[in-house]
Amino acid sequence: MKKLLLATAVAALSVSAANAAPTVYGKAFLAADYINAEFDGPAGNMYDEDEVQINSHASRIGLKGSETVTANTDVIYRLEYGTSLDGDNATFSNRDTYLGINNKQFGEFRAGKNQSTLARIDNVVVNQGYWDNLGQTRNESEVVSALNMADSNRINSSVIWTAPKYDGLPLQLSAMYSSNDVDGDNSSDAGFGAAMMFDQGTGFTAGVAYDKDQNINGDIIRGTATVDLGKYIAAPVTLGALYQVADYDGFDSDRRVTGDEKEKGLVLRAEMGLANFARPASIYTQYNKTDNLNGFDNADSDQIVVGGKYFYKDNIIAHAYAGVNNADNVPYMATTGDAEVVVVGTGLEYLF
């Protein structure tokens, strides 16, 4: 009996230790990018960059884990930090960092710095490397960048709730609240957001999300849809579309002046798997169109990107991509003009 009790105690301690041990994970992504960027203002060419750069794209390292509290409740946590492998930024910046609770009946609660609910429905964007997000809405001082619609950001001092999944209901619901202490001077408004994703596992998804005073000072509504044609016909192609309307309240999230028009954005993408390779591979294309960038009338952009991926292993991925972004009537260093960014790149991504 004593031996049985001892064996039981050792097993219990082992399970407890295993639950408490965090998982270390991350991504290292380095690329060689040829970048040609120009800005033409009222007086002619104001900016002209033409060079090859070694860039780190969304490289990160993190700790995550959970520990059982009761039969129905786990404590969950994540500490994730971005870094630049190319050395351009030697510091770490926190990404998703939270402490939370996951309960089988009431769902999951995360408190800390969380990606906004807009991202909960974004399974459309397929671009990689330099073009791996929706971009930004204005050019920073002395930098000409690819400009697109307002994107989802990580929100400080936020709580996000994810509803438990119910049998037979193919919906994932999320809601978010962020406090108004983000700026330290209580000058910003408390924000909130919600998202709903429909996915039956049949190859078609649809989502809708809304947020107020989180990613911008104002509100954003976003809708998405994707379809995996391989589920219905003999074609290894997935299609996706995203449409978004942003209504600024005179300032953006950094308290900079914006226009009073509604910013409207569209993303269309397609990805096709390639069968004539020893390992999984795919090619893709994505088109972005944004009207009234940052709410400014007639400040518009168009972007087209093509690329491909080859998986040497599930966690070692080779990338190649090329794209161009044209933006008209956009602000840059106290003036307004037209910008063009062309990027061709190739890189290697390692997941651990």
Side-chain angles (χ1 to χ4, degrees), residues 29-33 35 53-57 85-86 88 130 321:
F29 191 165
L30 273 178
D33 295 324
I35 299 177
Q53 299 179 359
I54 302 300
N55 292 319
S56 176
H57 296 300
L85 297 182
D86 57 357
D88 288 347
Y130 178 91
Y321 45 81

Side-chain angles (χ1 to χ4, degrees), residues 123 165-166 168-172 197-206 226-232 238:
N123 55 354
K165 285 195 173 183
Y166 299 100
L169 185 64
L171 292 176
Q172 182 67 75
M197 174 65 84
F198 171 85
D199 185 358
Q200 286 182 303
T202 60
F204 172 77
T205 72
T226 67
V227 60
D228 181 357
L229 295 181
K231 298 286 188 178
Y232 305 99
T238 59

Side-chain angles (χ1 to χ4, degrees), residues 39-102:
F39 184 88
D40 293 322
N45 188 285
M46 297 178 60
Y47 182 92
D48 192 347
E49 177 185 21
D50 188 4
E51 64 179 357
V52 176
Q53 299 179 359
I54 302 300
N55 292 319
S56 176
H57 296 300
S59 299
R60 69 198 70 161
I61 187 169
L63 300 172
K64 62 181 179 180
S66 64
E67 186 162 350
T68 299
V69 178
T70 69
N72 293 324
T73 305
D74 293 340
V75 169
I76 57 174
Y77 61 90
R78 182 190 295 262
L79 302 171
E80 183 177 295
Y81 299 91
T83 186
S84 296
L85 297 182
D86 57 357
D88 288 347
N89 186 349
T91 61
F92 287 93
S93 58
N94 63 322
R95 291 165 57 90
D96 291 61
T97 51
Y98 59 80
L99 181 65
I101 293 174
N102 189 8

Side-chain angles (χ1 to χ4, degrees), residues 224-259:
T224 63
T226 67
V227 60
D228 181 357
L229 295 181
K231 298 286 188 178
Y232 305 99
I233 60 177
V237 177
T238 59
L239 304 175
L242 180 154
Y243 184 74
Q244 174 176 294
V245 177
D247 191 1
Y248 291 85
D249 288 343
F251 297 90
D252 65 11
S253 57
D254 294 320
R255 311 300 296 180
R256 298 172 302 185
V257 175
T258 62

Side-chain angles (χ1 to χ4, degrees), residues 105-184:
Q105 291 178 308
F106 302 108
E108 180 186 273
F109 296 84
R110 301 178 181 179
K113 185 175 184 179
N114 298 284
Q115 185 68 254
S116 78
T117 48
L118 287 182
R120 292 293 178 98
I121 67 165
D122 182 14
N123 55 354
V124 172
V125 174
V126 70
N127 289 342
Q128 300 289 319
Y130 178 91
W131 307 99
D132 70 347
N133 56 23
L134 295 183
Q136 56 191 49
T137 57
R138 67 167 71 200
N139 284 311
E140 302 295 336
S141 177
E142 299 182 358
V143 176
V144 173
S145 304
L147 299 181
N148 287 295
M149 71 184 81
D151 199 1
S152 174
N153 296 297
R154 291 175 177 83
I155 309 301
N156 296 329
S157 302
S158 62
V159 178
I160 187 166
W161 168 71
T162 305
K165 285 195 173 183
Y166 299 100
D167 292 340
L169 185 64
L171 292 176
Q172 182 67 75
L173 305 175
S174 303
M176 188 175 197
Y177 170 82
S178 56
S179 67
N180 64 349
D181 66 349
V182 174
D183 293 336

